[in-house]
Amino acid sequence: MNRINKKLQEAKKLLSIYFTAGYPNLNDTVSILQRLEKSGVDMVEIGLPFSDPLADGPTIQASSTEALKHGMTTKTLFNQLKDIRKTVSIPLLIMGYFNPILQYGVDAFCQECQNIGIDGLIIPDLPVNVYNEHYRKTFEKYGLVNVFLITPQTSEERIRFIDSVSNGFIYMVSSASTTGAKTGFGQEQTAYFKRIANMNLNHPQIVGFGISNQETFCQATQNAKGAIIGSAFIRFLDNNNIDDIKTFINSIRNA
Amino acid sequence: MKKTYNIDNKGYYGEFGGAYIPEMLYPNVEELRQNYLNIMAETSFQDEFDQLLKDYVGRPSPLYFAKRLSEKHNTKVYLKREDLNHTGAHKVNNTIGQILMAKRLGKTRIIAETGAGQHGVATATVCALMGMECIVYMGEIDIARQAPNVARMKMLGAEVRPALSGSKTLKDATNEAIRDWINNPVKTHYIIGSAIGPHPYPDMVTRFQSIISKEIKWQLNKKEGRENPDFVVACIGGGSNAAGTYYHFIDDEDVGIIAIEAAGKGIQSGESAATSVLGKEGIIHGCKTLLMQTSDGQITEPYSISAGLDYPGVGPLHSHLYTSGRAEFFSATDDEAMAAGLELTQLEGIIPAIESSHALAIFSHKTFKPDDIVVISLSGRGDKDLQNYIDYFNL
């Protein structure tokens, strides 16, 4: 069984962290992953930087631009990760835009993920219908979980379709926004989280966008399996040493 | 069935097109996809669109026989005078259509991207006309070098927001407009300015611009007793004036289709926007098309003296016309375009936009027969480029 699906069976609420590979420094990737695991993080999304990240707000845009300046490429990332399973055992996903993956070759990319021990992919601009028609078999051949996004505007019919195509969890975008745009959840979000929970989908939901601290983590996970923190973690890395990652994770987790 | 180069029912031109968008944009794009053809087919829509094109834009734009230019190049050259449209270019054909579309979809807020500012001005213009809120994203660098158009947009009541990300030019302004749409999904319509973006945008923009070739057909019939020229010629950045100029001839293979891209300082100079030569298939701004990128799939910055051609991709229709061999692609350097612009000015008394000067540079690349009828899209007027011409020719 894929590490993601095993993790999803655990009873606790899951904390997942996103960071941009190649940021703050080109070769921080492995050190960050090791520290995240030691700090008790359940799952990590490794961001593959892209020149034109449409769905991202200023924080992740800036980290991507910096990472590319440092020389991060798909090959470099795979090289950095080649021995990652010797030291890190939590589920790992790569999150990135479709064009760099298309240029690498979708089959070759997926194969390399399997070789390394990457468990899943999140590709925001690969639509569910294109995936289903053209790429699903490839992803499944290499044992990869593919994660789709839903938003407060996604229709019930489409959510059910996405659920039927999913093979891990559903990435529940908390509000209509780019990453890092909003802070705090209002009644509207709470109602949306409940509405989705009441749909009794086959796959658990993990909330992303707008989670930055313990309060928003707790709110998000009241009706969902877990939550993802991205921009807030990158802002922490801007101002702190990677050896202090545990401080950040403790501030979210330890109630 | 007759072979068609047009869009298929899944939103693709051959292998190009589609809608590669984050889920956050899906409801908006899907709403548009489900409604655009029906709305465009409504009699009330067509009446309003036609009336505004006639009385507000000043259509039909003349099809002008350029006698001295024809003599110089020993062929029959007609110019489709989009430069005489209100706001000075073909861009307004699309913004009129899209603002009417936005109204029918119940939208109250308009966003747009702009490079040189021509599409921004055309959008701000129709928003003023319809009393709609208008926000135009423009790269910080472009804001600095296109001050008169920034002032025009502000005077028209639009808010001009600087795109501060990436390279701070057109592609980043487009990213920012898309991000705005993600953050404002319900009441906002995004007026894309070229034949790019996720399906249905390339098709919708092409249909609004197709008035250009529709008019060419009857105008040429009046002048020459035939609807089809031997060649239609247009410059291509994203490709909206080209798409409109080609549209009614695409499947008539006796009409030669010619596209001119911006070679900048030379195709191999590293400062170019000749996407058909330098680009590879990939995803940009929601569609699969040819685009300039690194081997790692990062989108690169193009260069052209013409801000309107300074885009790292071409619309999916054009990628299909190129790879299928239906269209002939050439590219003109800055120097060739500037010389062709000056030539038109001095032979015909028309100062063209530098974008259109690229189309006029076809004569440096191809020789036509004396009895060939060549229709060139004069997509815009040169007023906005005066400073560039002054600097280039030391006027």
Side-chain angles (χ1 to χ4, degrees), chain A:
Chain A
M1 186 190 263
N2 186 298
R3 289 182 198 91
I4 295 170
N5 292 308
K6 237 182 258 170
K7 179 61 81 175
L8 290 165
Q9 287 178 348
E10 291 180 13
K12 64 175 182 178
K13 300 293 185 184
L14 304 180
L15 170 60
S16 184
I17 294 290
Y18 167 94
F19 74 98
T20 306
Y23 184 85
N25 301 296
L26 179 63
N27 293 313
D28 284 341
T29 314
V30 172
S31 317
I32 291 175
L33 287 170
Q34 289 168 340
R35 283 161 179 77
L36 286 171
E37 172 160 291
K38 274 196 193 120
S39 310
V41 163
D42 295 298
M43 193 156 64
V44 181
E45 280 106 51
I46 305 164
L48 177 64
F50 182 46
S51 55
D52 295 75
L54 288 181
D56 286 302
T59 303
I60 293 179
Q61 282 173 42
S63 65
S64 302
T65 305
E66 278 298 301
L68 291 172
K69 268 190 209 157
H70 298 159
M72 181 51 78
T73 66
T74 310
K75 277 189 189 132
T76 306
L77 178 60
F78 282 147
N79 257 331
Q80 290 176 347
L81 293 175
K82 70 180 190 305
D83 293 324
I84 195 67
R85 284 307 178 195
K86 289 181 182 159
T87 54
V88 172
S89 59
I90 54 175
L92 299 177
L93 298 95
I94 289 180
M95 182 165 186
Y97 291 82
F98 193 37
N99 197 50
I101 297 170
L102 200 60
Q103 300 313 318
Y104 194 90
V106 176
D107 193 277
F109 188 93
C110 291
Q111 190 175 22
E112 195 57 38
C113 285
Q114 186 189 45
N115 290 344
I116 288 166
I118 296 294
D119 307 292
L121 297 174
I122 308 175
I123 309 168
D125 60 343
L126 174 60
V128 60
N129 60 322
V130 177
Y131 167 78
N132 205 29
E133 272 177 49
H134 300 286
Y135 300 112
R136 186 174 179 170
K137 282 196 183 122
T138 307
F139 280 51
E140 287 176 356
K141 180 169 76 176
Y142 296 111
L144 294 171
V145 158
N146 192 32
V147 176
F148 295 102
L149 278 54
I150 61 169
T151 81
Q153 275 73 37
T154 311
S155 69
E156 179 169 337
E157 187 192 358
R158 188 165 168 84
I159 292 174
R160 298 240 177 250
F161 174 59
I162 285 170
D163 191 33
S164 76
V165 176
S166 296
N167 57 349
F169 63 90
I170 292 171
Y171 191 130
M172 187 157 70
V173 176
S174 65
S175 63
S177 73
T178 43
T179 54
K182 312 219 167 153
T183 48
F185 294 129
Q187 280 182 335
E188 212 178 312
Q189 272 91 31
T190 314
Y192 157 62
F193 297 157
K194 276 190 189 148
R195 172 167 65 85
I196 303 301
N198 287 337
M199 284 180 73
N200 293 314
L201 299 172
N202 295 322
H203 297 92
Q205 302 93 53
I206 296 192
V207 182
F209 292 39
I211 296 133
S212 56
N213 52 26
Q214 192 178 78
E215 187 192 354
T216 42
F217 178 78
C218 290
Q219 282 176 318
T221 51
Q222 224 159 27
N223 291 292
K225 181 64 192 164
I228 302 166
I229 298 179
S231 298
F233 179 65
I234 289 170
R235 280 193 295 269
F236 176 84
L237 291 179
D238 287 343
N239 303 314
N240 297 274
N241 192 291
I242 60 171
D243 288 325
D244 298 328
I245 282 175
K246 195 168 181 54
T247 319
F248 179 84
I249 301 304
N250 284 344
S251 76
I252 309 290
R253 244 308 154 51
N254 289 355

Side-chain angles (χ1 to χ4, degrees), chain B residues 263 265-273 278 292 301-303:
Chain B
K265 295 181 177 169
I267 287 176
Q268 300 306 335
S269 67
E271 292 183 82
S272 176
L278 300 169
M292 291 166 54
E301 259 312 287
Y303 161 82

Side-chain angles (χ1 to χ4, degrees), chain A residues 49-56 61 68 73-74 99-100 103 124-125 127 133 149 151 153-154 158 176-178 209, chain B residues 10 19-24 26-27 165 171 175-176 178-179 182-183 185 280-283 293 295-299:
Chain A
F50 182 46
S51 55
D52 295 75
L54 288 181
D56 286 302
Q61 282 173 42
L68 291 172
T73 66
T74 310
N99 197 50
Q103 300 313 318
D125 60 343
E133 272 177 49
L149 278 54
T151 81
Q153 275 73 37
T154 311
R158 188 165 168 84
S177 73
T178 43
F209 292 39
Chain B
K10 285 186 168 171
Y20 294 80
I21 46 171
E23 190 62 31
M24 293 81 104
Y26 179 82
S165 58
K171 96 178 159 73
N175 291 337
E176 287 306 324
I178 292 173
R179 290 180 188 122
I182 289 174
N183 282 288
K280 270 195 317 175
E281 184 178 314
I283 311 285
Q293 53 185 313
S295 59
D296 199 42
Q298 308 298 338
I299 298 171

Side-chain angles (χ1 to χ4, degrees), chain B residues 35-217:
Chain B
N35 292 297
Y36 82 112
L37 289 177
N38 291 337
I39 289 175
M40 286 174 79
E42 286 170 9
T43 311
S44 68
F45 181 91
Q46 287 176 2
D47 289 349
E48 201 176 351
F49 184 54
D50 291 348
Q51 183 257 322
L52 283 170
L53 287 185
K54 180 170 175 280
D55 297 336
Y56 187 72
V57 175
R59 302 202 73 93
S61 68
L63 184 68
Y64 167 69
F65 176 63
K67 187 163 172 285
R68 297 187 69 207
L69 190 68
S70 297
E71 281 165 6
K72 173 88 193 272
H73 296 291
N74 196 24
T75 190
K76 293 179 87 171
V77 183
Y78 281 89
L79 301 176
K80 182 58 175 161
R81 298 291 309 271
E82 294 301 301
D83 60 316
L84 294 177
N85 291 339
H86 179 45
T87 71
H90 69 288
K91 291 285 186 192
V92 73
N93 302 329
N94 170 47
T95 59
I96 293 266
Q98 286 206 46
I99 197 95
L100 296 178
M101 181 70 63
K103 271 175 67 177
R104 277 162 177 79
L105 291 169
K107 309 290 179 178
T108 54
R109 178 176 177 272
I110 297 296
I111 54 171
E113 84 294 341
T114 197
Q118 289 306 100
H119 174 60
V121 168
T123 303
T125 298
V126 297
C127 286
L129 179 69
M130 297 294 169
M132 295 254 245
E133 185 184 355
C134 180
I135 292 133
V136 179
Y137 288 89
M138 188 169 184
E140 197 183 34
I141 290 175
D142 290 333
I143 287 180
R145 61 184 179 187
Q146 305 289 340
N149 273 343
V150 174
R152 278 186 193 104
M153 287 186 271
K154 286 184 179 166
M155 198 170 163
L156 288 159
E159 181 191 341
V160 180
R161 286 191 191 162
L164 305 171
S165 58
S167 54
K168 300 171 188 169
T169 57
L170 176 59
K171 96 178 159 73
D172 309 285
T174 308
N175 291 337
E176 287 306 324
I178 292 173
R179 290 180 188 122
D180 180 305
W181 213 17
I182 289 174
N183 282 288
N184 299 282
V186 182
K187 288 288 170 195
T188 299
H189 175 72
Y190 176 20
I191 301 190
I192 293 184
S194 196
I196 58 161
H199 176 64
Y201 274 102
D203 186 46
M204 180 171 69
V205 174
T206 297
R207 285 168 190 265
F208 287 138
Q209 292 293 357
S210 71
I211 184 72
I212 301 173
S213 48
K214 190 177 168 192
E215 288 175 0
I216 291 172
K217 272 176 120 57

Side-chain angles (χ1 to χ4, degrees), chain B residues 220 226 228-232 254-257 371-375:
Chain B
L220 196 65
R226 53 188 271 203
N228 287 358
D230 296 294
F231 296 95
V232 283
D254 56 325
V255 180
I257 291 177
D371 60 349
D372 277 344
I373 294 176
V374 181
V375 176

